[in-house]
Amino acid sequence: MTAHTTARSAAHPNPHDAPYGTHGARDPFSPLGTHETHGTHGTHETHGADDTHSTHDTHNAHGTPHTGGTPDAREPEGGAVREASRVGALIRGHRLRIGMTQRELADLSTISVRAIRDLEQGKARRPRPDTVRLMAEALRLGPRARAALEAAAQQGRPGGQGWWTEPPAPPTALHAILGRDAEAGLLERELGSGAERLAHVVGLAGVGKTRLALEVADRLHRAGTPVLWHAFPGATADYLTSGEGTVSARAAAAAARLWTAADPASAVRAAHGPGGGGGDPEGAEAVSALAELLGDRAALLVLDGAPEDPPRFGLLTALLRACPGLRLLVTSDRPWEIPGERIFLLSPPAVPAEGTVDRAAPAVRVFLDHARRVRPGFGATSADLERTAWICRRLDGHPGALAAAASWLVLCDLDALCRSLDADPAAHLDHLGGGEGTGRLRAALDALTDRLTPGARSLLEALCAGGGPDDEFTLTGITALTGRDLPSSGRLLRELLISGAVRAAHEGDGSRFRVLGLVRTACRARAVGSVSAAS
């Protein structure tokens, strides 16, 4: 049975306790309508003797302000000219008519100067209703002018079927997905229903995270959900891209900037501060661009091979506030451990039990699929199936390891491959076909212990030092081995599970755990290397 573990940040065990989708305090980056709590404004403004403005509004028959001419719909910016939106032109016209500066309008409306400037210059075209209301109150608009502003803002919001001619599609997978129907179905339901807004698939390199994300994205797209896909540098692109359309390209560029900080200090403030990195124009522009692009519509944004360091939390929160229909599906080797993150640990597929041969076992199907690309008709005999089942157990059912091992059948027969893997299961981790991603699993295994905390590292080394590849243990056994209390032992075991070093089997009589054979081999090789270096 495929074992996968789900976990959440201890700070927010329930996704609905997370700040996504909440309202109230305005994120300082976003001009998109979340606003801070403010006191009641007076109905007049006090000016000095040289700064007195009329407190009434003058309109023509259509409810638009008299500005001494049509408001300039083109605003110079850094030597370039940007076409202003209708709502931006109206705001600017009303503001200039009464002689108000952007700073004065910001003070009265509690909307930031940057947000006002972005609206007037056409960078932002879809203010939320609360933003429009605050603007109208600060500008003292009459009923018809207010209605015109609200109508212009509504027209600027993406929505309906006319925003794109066809919903953006995910890339096309090159190979069938095998043995992952339960995992794909669960993520499809959680993201499709909105029960989860940030699902993070983690696991060892080569375990199939990208392939699972492709399957979930394809299912949601076939159900009518637009899918935007962004692969970070270093991600293994084992698929055919659907083309870099304007929508996908803009989404990818904006998503990548969620990790870009003006300087290290602002990155630290952004990651931990409630404002999410206030004062970072680049981050604000990323949120604004994605929010303008997506609006209120349902959409899935896949971030494949995302950085291990989380994005700036305040920007991520602002984005999910501004785009209530947006869902994020992330793949990477390690979780971010942030509030609202649904951690989905992807373990290798199930392998046949010792002494059994099951052609339908997911791991067996994976190996046979790859072996038949090298040797058509492979697996027709019972001896082939017996050796295949043994290889699957030896390599923990890991899809990347099975694919690499199968590639060696072009040079040797199955019996020779089994003998080589029996001597060293890590001997054939490099795919003979080369290509992108080759060597990632070996590198991940070598670096695994370095990423663990000292306590988890010591526990893994102790587990690998004794016993065989099929030895199982329980949480009670961990407490006895470490001498720690139950909560401390549980946290260490969770860390090993999340890292991919350990897999779980939840049976009727309780949960049992086992260190992956590949991890055990790498850990022992590391220990031998350390002894040799010391001597």
Side-chain angles (χ1 to χ4, degrees):
M1 147 176 159
T2 300
H4 68 270
T5 301
T6 58
R8 294 188 187 283
S9 166
H12 289 277
N14 189 314
H16 304 292
D17 292 337
Y20 305 145
T22 57
H23 302 280
R26 181 188 62 190
D27 186 274
F29 293 103
S30 177
L32 306 172
T34 52
H35 61 279
E36 55 192 345
T37 305
H38 54 277
T40 303
H41 295 295
T43 58
H44 65 278
E45 180 181 11
T46 304
H47 303 279
D50 298 326
D51 191 26
T52 303
H53 305 297
S54 171
T55 58
H56 66 277
D57 213 353
T58 304
H59 309 279
N60 61 21
H62 300 288
T64 55
H66 290 299
T67 61
T70 303
D72 187 4
R74 300 176 68 82
E75 186 80 13
E77 180 192 10
V81 177
R82 180 187 294 270
E83 189 73 20
S85 64
R86 172 66 175 163
V87 67
L90 286 174
I91 291 172
R92 182 171 183 270
H94 287 305
R95 180 177 61 78
L96 294 179
R97 178 186 54 77
I98 60 176
M100 185 182 290
T101 66
Q102 290 180 341
R103 168 57 64 188
E104 290 170 335
L105 179 56
D107 291 341
L108 285 173
S109 65
T110 73
I111 303 300
S112 71
V113 173
R114 179 177 182 81
I116 294 170
R117 183 171 65 248
D118 285 351
L119 284 167
E120 291 188 0
Q121 294 180 352
K123 290 183 179 179
R125 298 168 179 261
R126 50 170 301 275
R128 289 171 62 92
D130 284 347
T131 300
V132 176
R133 175 180 59 80
L134 291 170
M135 289 278 194
E137 291 174 355
L139 291 167
R140 305 180 184 85
L141 300 185
R144 284 187 294 180
R146 180 189 290 258
L149 184 64
E150 291 172 348
Q154 182 64 36
Q155 292 172 0
R157 295 191 187 100
Q161 298 300 317
W163 184 49
W164 43 48
T165 56
E166 185 176 345
T172 302
L174 295 177
H175 310 295
I177 188 169
L178 300 172
R180 296 298 195 189
D181 189 65
E183 292 92 335
L186 180 58
L187 284 172
E188 178 192 5
R189 290 190 298 272
E190 291 180 347
L191 291 168
S193 67
E196 301 290 349
R197 298 199 63 192
L198 171 57
H200 194 161
V201 181
V202 299
L204 275 177
V207 78
K209 301 183 293 293
T210 297
R211 186 61 188 88
L212 177 61
L214 285 168
E215 178 67 17
V216 173
D218 181 65
R219 292 186 182 191
L220 290 174
H221 180 260
R222 283 188 275 115
T225 301
V227 176
L228 306 173
W229 186 283
H230 176 57
F232 285 84
T236 302
D238 191 21
Y239 49 75
L240 299 175
T241 61
S242 56
E244 294 298 328
T246 301
V247 174
S248 295
R250 287 177 60 191
R257 288 207 304 272
L258 294 178
W259 274 263
T260 305
D263 56 74
S266 67
V268 172
R269 291 193 301 271
H272 300 287
D280 184 356
E282 193 168 282
E285 187 176 347
V287 170
S288 179
L290 272 175
E292 181 179 353
L293 184 69
L294 299 176
D296 296 336
R297 68 169 57 242
L300 176 69
L301 175 59
V302 181
L303 302 176
D304 186 34
E308 291 186 6
D309 293 330
R312 286 166 289 170
F313 183 67
L315 292 183
L316 183 63
T317 302
L319 175 63
L320 292 174
R321 280 194 190 123
C323 304
L326 178 63
R327 310 288 182 260
L328 294 179
L329 177 58
V330 184
T331 72
S332 67
D333 292 349
R334 298 172 65 84
W336 294 334
E337 303 282 10
I338 61 175
E341 177 186 16
R342 190 269 203 254
I343 301 173
F344 192 98
L345 174 60
L346 189 63
S347 295
V351 301
E354 186 69 35
T356 67
V357 176
D358 183 4
R359 183 189 290 268
V364 171
R365 294 170 60 198
V366 169
F367 184 82
L368 291 177
D369 181 63
H370 287 284
R372 285 166 182 161
R373 296 174 196 169
V374 178
R375 292 187 176 184
F378 176 86
T381 69
S382 58
D384 286 345
L385 290 178
E386 288 178 3
R387 292 188 179 99
T388 294
W390 182 90
I391 289 173
C392 290
R393 288 190 291 269
R394 187 62 168 159
L395 297 178
D396 307 300
H398 188 283
L402 293 176
S407 74
W408 286 82
L409 291 176
V410 73
L411 301 179
C412 62
D413 60 21
L414 192 58
D415 187 58
L417 179 61
C418 288
R419 290 196 303 270
S420 179
L421 290 174
D422 189 32
D424 180 9
H428 299 285
L429 290 182
D430 295 321
H431 198 292
L432 283 185
E436 189 177 4
T438 299
R440 285 193 65 216
L441 175 57
R442 185 183 297 278
L445 290 171
D446 291 342
L448 190 149
T449 54
D450 292 333
R451 297 180 175 185
L452 298 173
T453 61
R457 186 183 309 124
S458 298
L459 174 58
L460 180 61
E461 291 171 348
L463 291 170
C464 292
D470 297 323
D471 283 2
E472 294 183 336
F473 55 89
T474 63
L475 178 56
T476 303
I478 294 297
T479 60
L481 179 63
T482 62
R484 297 172 181 253
D485 59 21
L486 190 64
S488 299
S489 299
R491 281 189 286 270
L492 293 178
L493 181 54
R494 176 187 181 273
E495 185 177 350
L496 294 182
L497 281 167
I498 293 297
S499 73
V502 170
R503 70 182 303 165
H506 304 289
E507 306 294 345
D509 58 347
S511 298
R512 305 187 69 82
F513 308 91
R514 182 175 66 84
V515 177
L516 267 64
L518 292 171
V519 173
R520 187 184 295 272
T521 299
C523 192
R524 286 177 173 174
R526 182 186 180 97
V528 171
S530 299
V531 172
S532 300
S535 60

